[in-house]
Amino acid sequence: MGAIAAGIAAGLAAVGAGVGNGLVIGHTIDGMARQPEMSGTLRGTMFVGVGLIEALPILAIVIAFLVMNK
């Protein structure tokens, strides 16, 4: 049962991170197209946002391994 829960947790975290990254990157590209002079600031903010979004699946994988090993 723990392996099923771990698989579901990891899968949902990966899907959520993929959707979140897609939205952030898409909106950043849209912002760069609208205001090219802000591209450096937008790019830096995007990298911080993507890093924070990627923290969720990493934590979910760790929790999934903990649940699987109990």
Side-chain angles (χ1 to χ4, degrees):
M1 194 59 115
I4 293 172
I8 290 172
L12 289 176
V15 168
V19 169
N21 281 336
L23 287 173
V24 167
I25 294 170
H27 284 89
T28 301
I29 292 172
D30 185 41
M32 286 179 186
R34 291 176 186 261
Q35 293 186 348
E37 67 275 1
M38 292 292 294
S39 65
T41 304
L42 289 172
R43 189 178 304 116
T45 305
M46 179 197 68
F47 285 135
V48 171
V50 167
L52 292 174
I53 291 169
E54 287 297 322
L56 173 69
I58 293 170
L59 290 174
I61 297 281
V62 169
I63 292 171
F65 282 139
L66 291 174
V67 167
M68 194 169 60
N69 289 329
K70 283 197 174 206

